[in-house]
Amino acid sequence: MSVRLYIGNLPQNVNVKELEALLTSIGDGIKFKAVFDRDTRACRGFGFANIKDENIANELIEKLNGHEFNGNKLRVERSERKDSNSGNSRRGANSNNGNKGSNRKDVKKVVHSDAPIKEAPDPRWAGELSKLKDLLANQKTPV
């Protein structure tokens, strides 16, 4: 099983090849992917490394956490994968409903609504409504 590491505090103008060379100097079987901004194409300051061997991952954390790289001290730690509510990852979930090329889930979620709940009476009229119910219950003639 591979270990995923978070590598943070990278400079915006990071040379990925140079960082990969630093990582592979510690051990083999390391794949690194930096995260870039979609608009500016600059590094967002972090990336992830997948390592096949647990011992190499521990050694990488020990040697590179706090190591200075291009003027920045690297932050290296184990990455915890975020699970979605359904237990599937975005890429693993096959819920794109036939939209080719779309990895997004089709979610219809209401974040906030000022609309009143239809089942509950309007709280402004709750007192009047209860009086009306009492009057109807006490009425002698059938409606």
Side-chain angles (χ1 to χ4, degrees):
M1 186 171 146
S2 69
V3 179
R4 183 175 166 145
L5 297 181
Y6 165 86
I7 301 177
N9 203 23
L10 297 173
Q12 282 188 330
N13 58 353
V14 66
N15 183 345
V16 177
K17 297 288 184 194
E18 192 176 321
L19 183 61
E20 285 176 347
L22 177 66
L23 296 173
T24 55
S25 69
I26 294 174
D28 292 329
I30 300 171
K31 292 183 180 179
F32 175 75
K33 183 166 182 168
V35 177
F36 292 96
D37 187 81
R38 289 180 186 158
D39 298 329
T40 64
R41 302 281 186 217
C43 180
R44 291 189 57 198
F46 66 97
F48 296 96
N50 289 319
I51 300 136
K52 293 179 182 177
D53 187 11
E54 177 103 17
N55 294 330
I56 293 175
N58 291 334
E59 186 178 346
L60 194 86
I61 292 170
E62 185 180 311
K63 287 187 178 180
L64 293 185
N65 193 24
H67 176 78
E68 189 161 324
F69 178 75
N70 290 349
N72 291 359
K73 288 191 177 188
L74 295 178
R75 180 176 164 199
V76 182
E77 58 190 33
R78 287 184 183 271
S79 172
E80 299 294 326
R81 291 189 187 262
K82 291 185 178 179
D83 293 330
S84 65
N85 292 338
S86 63
N88 295 329
S89 68
R90 266 199 321 178
R91 293 181 187 186
N94 196 7
S95 62
N96 57 7
N97 296 332
N99 296 336
K100 291 183 179 180
S102 173
N103 286 335
R104 289 194 164 184
K105 291 182 181 180
D106 186 21
V107 178
K108 294 179 179 125
K109 186 185 337 180
V110 175
V111 176
H112 176 73
S113 175
D114 288 331
I117 301 171
K118 296 193 191 268
E119 293 83 25
D122 189 340
R124 296 174 292 177
W125 301 102
E128 296 298 320
L129 184 61
S130 66
K131 287 179 191 176
L132 182 59
K133 285 182 180 180
D134 289 341
L135 283 173
L136 288 172
N138 294 333
Q139 188 176 17
K140 305 266 191 247
T141 53
V143 180

